[in-house]
Structure formats: C-alpha cells, structure tokens
Amino acid sequence: MSAASSSLATGRRSLGDPGARYPLWPPLTAGCPATSTPAMAYPVEVDYAYDDVPSTVTSDGTGNLKTTVTAASDGYWRWNFAGTSTTPAVVAAGDFVDVL
C-alpha cells in the first residue's frame, strides 16, 4: 500500500495496442494518439507495478483485504482496484494517517 504522494502507477497503455505506452503526464483526453482513428478513439488505461505490492497483502473468504505497513508521512491511504474484464473497479474510502 502506498501513500497518496507515491503510487504504483507506472504509466499508461493503449487498449488498442498494449505496446503503445505513455507517461502518466500529460493527460490524454482524446484517446491513444497512436492507435485512435476519427471513427474510434481507443482509450488508455493506467499500468501498475504489480510486483511492488507488498507480499503481506492477504484477503479473507469474502474478499476483504488486509495488510500492515509503516507510514512515512501524513496522508490518506486507501485501496484502489483498477478492475478487470470480469470485475469492476473499486476505490475504498480513504483513511487519514497522522504520523507523529
């Protein structure tokens, strides 16, 4: 789990051609510039460093997630699941962490 100021997001990729990759900034608001046509604007999705997810993340039989991390700075922490072709995206409510 990462603080709001650090992210596992590594960039973006085209849904029309996953090999077409872009940085997170600047935003692409009109679809993928390499694969989109006037008739079809292929969206881009955020790509994540899934290998950097802590190995201590576990889930119970109903899908509730749990992990323990040490916060380095104040900020909001939350779970963020980008979704798959069979499971919708979900963003949990944020919890504020105050590091003393």
Side-chain angles (χ1 to χ4, degrees), residues 1-2 8 50-60 64-70 77 79:
M1 191 134 158
S2 296
L8 294 179
Y50 293 106
D51 292 340
D52 293 341
V53 174
S55 61
T56 57
V57 174
T58 59
S59 65
D60 64 17
N64 294 308
L65 299 173
K66 180 180 179 180
T67 192
T68 301
V69 296
T70 301
W77 294 63
W79 292 102

Side-chain angles (χ1 to χ4, degrees), residues 9-37:
T10 59
R12 293 174 292 172
R13 63 181 168 207
S14 170
L15 294 181
D17 174 8
R21 298 189 175 273
Y22 302 94
L24 292 169
W25 187 261
L28 296 175
T29 58
C32 174
T35 59
S36 294
T37 66

